[in-house]
Amino acid sequence: MTKAVIVRQLGGPEVLSYEDWPLASPGPGEVALRQTAIGLNFVDTYQRSGLYPVQLPFVAGNEGAGIITALGEGVTGLKVGDRVAYQGHVGAYATERIASADRMVPVPDGIDDRIAAAIMLKGLTAYYLLFKTWALAKGETILWHAAAGGTGLIATQWARALGATVIGTAGSDEKVALAKAHGCHHVINYNSEDFAVRVRELTGGRGVDVVYDGVGKTTFEKSLDCLRPRGLMVSFGNASGVVSIPDITLLSRKGSLYVTRPTGTHYLGKREDLLEGAGKLFEAVLDGAIKVEIGRTFPLSEAADAHRALEGRETTGSVVLIP
């Protein structure tokens, strides 16, 4: 048995139940992990609520780090005692778990388990958005919403290191200051300023090359007004609700714009792509281009409180659950 946070019915944070959960032996192509740290992400709340369907009941969570305790048949390239981390693999909110070996990424010396758990999903999201969805080039200008969040703090530092001009948004003076300290050249408090007007001012009327938006419904249409002609709108999250475009001619009227809705499944599904991205991420952390901000930690048993804090916009940086 393992201790785990279970979702037996869909709903709010109150449906998260900390209880005993059966633990099998690893099958072919699997490993057993003793988990040491678990990352908290908005996708966890989407699965809990039913926005992203997962068959009930399930162990919540999609990101973690730990130590391999057993290998299933046919596993190569890993051994008992290895420190590994993973992302995009539901079942993370547990003290021990079984996981697919091909999703495990060895963690290099110099990166501790809490940092590894805090950056795998958010950092690899930043990786594919900045390197694959749009290959960000020196001299380009981007707008990143929720720049003081876990993904935002990683991505804005990385974008600046790549030579981009980085404009961020945040919802309080405290978050504005945090985003400025982590890569943004300019930060707009969207509760006191019209971010579209301010972006036009900052870019001399041109607009930005790319908008990265994990907020969703409340920021989407105004974000289109921030783009230069033929710019790219990257909608990668739904924190405020799901985006819809009832009239696609809106994109032509606002500048022959492009829109994409990427997911890690399609960018990191192959092991070679996962390892390439993780390698670049770990390198950026080790050389100081990315400084990881762990805003809060919660015991795993208090996962419901962690969800409330995340959805209430009470967190900055990454949040980590400790088994």
Side-chain angles (χ1 to χ4, degrees):
M1 301 290 284
T2 182
K3 283 289 188 180
V5 176
I6 313 302
V7 178
R8 296 189 180 278
Q9 61 181 357
L10 303 177
E14 70 280 356
V15 305
L16 298 174
S17 175
Y18 184 65
E19 58 189 78
D20 290 330
W21 184 255
L23 184 70
S25 298
E30 294 180 332
V31 298
L33 291 180
R34 176 175 60 80
Q35 301 210 109
T36 52
I38 299 155
L40 179 71
N41 295 279
F42 265 106
V43 67
D44 306 348
T45 71
Y46 303 156
Q47 291 168 342
R48 185 208 71 220
S49 70
L51 179 62
Y52 290 0
V54 179
Q55 184 174 352
L56 295 170
F58 65 92
V59 178
N62 295 269
E63 172 185 51
I67 298 169
I68 294 177
T69 57
L71 304 175
E73 182 182 349
V75 174
T76 60
L78 297 168
K79 65 182 185 300
V80 171
D82 280 353
R83 295 174 58 236
V84 294
Y86 62 91
Q87 61 84 41
H89 198 323
V90 71
Y93 289 10
T95 56
E96 298 178 81
R97 70 166 301 179
I98 304 300
S100 296
D102 66 358
R103 295 286 90 191
M104 299 299 107
V105 175
V107 177
D109 294 340
I111 295 180
D112 70 31
D113 290 0
R114 293 189 184 195
I115 295 296
I119 65 173
M120 283 298 290
L121 197 151
K122 290 173 280 290
L124 285 172
T125 297
Y127 160 74
Y128 72 71
L129 293 177
L130 297 175
F131 288 83
K132 300 296 183 180
T133 303
W134 177 281
L136 189 62
K138 183 177 181 180
E140 292 181 325
T141 302
I142 69 169
L143 173 65
W144 196 289
H145 285 302
T151 304
L153 291 180
I154 293 170
T156 53
Q157 292 179 81
W158 212 344
R160 184 165 182 152
L162 291 170
T165 297
V166 183
I167 304 171
T169 68
S172 69
D173 291 342
E174 177 189 15
K175 291 183 178 181
V176 166
L178 183 63
K180 281 184 177 178
H182 288 78
C184 289
H185 294 88
H186 312 280
V187 186
I188 303 162
N189 185 333
Y190 57 76
N191 284 320
S192 60
E193 293 186 271
D194 184 316
F195 70 79
V197 171
R198 183 63 178 140
V199 165
R200 289 290 174 181
E201 292 174 352
L202 291 169
T203 59
R206 175 182 180 271
V208 300
D209 297 286
V210 194
V211 174
Y212 293 99
D213 184 8
V215 176
K217 186 175 181 179
T218 61
T219 51
F220 181 81
E221 190 162 339
K222 188 174 284 189
S223 292
L224 300 179
D225 294 326
C226 298
L227 285 163
R228 64 161 171 82
R230 296 169 59 192
L232 176 65
M233 175 70 188
V234 182
S235 177
F236 68 94
N238 323 287
S240 68
V242 177
V243 170
S244 63
I245 309 177
D247 178 4
I248 200 169
T249 64
L250 179 71
L251 303 180
S252 64
R253 296 196 301 273
K254 291 183 179 290
S256 297
L257 303 177
Y258 296 89
V259 176
T260 185
R261 181 55 170 91
T263 70
T265 300
H266 300 120
Y267 283 91
L268 304 169
K270 295 179 180 178
R271 181 160 177 78
E272 57 265 34
D273 295 331
L274 174 65
L275 293 177
E276 178 187 0
K280 286 184 179 294
L281 175 62
F282 291 146
E283 180 183 357
V285 173
L286 289 170
D287 70 15
I290 297 172
K291 294 179 174 60
V292 181
E293 182 83 18
I294 296 179
R296 295 179 70 177
T297 61
F298 290 81
L300 179 59
S301 59
E302 297 176 11
D305 290 336
H307 276 226
R308 292 186 185 97
L310 183 66
E311 292 179 299
R313 307 292 178 86
E314 298 170 9
T315 64
T316 56
S318 297
V319 178
V320 175
L321 306 176
I322 305 300

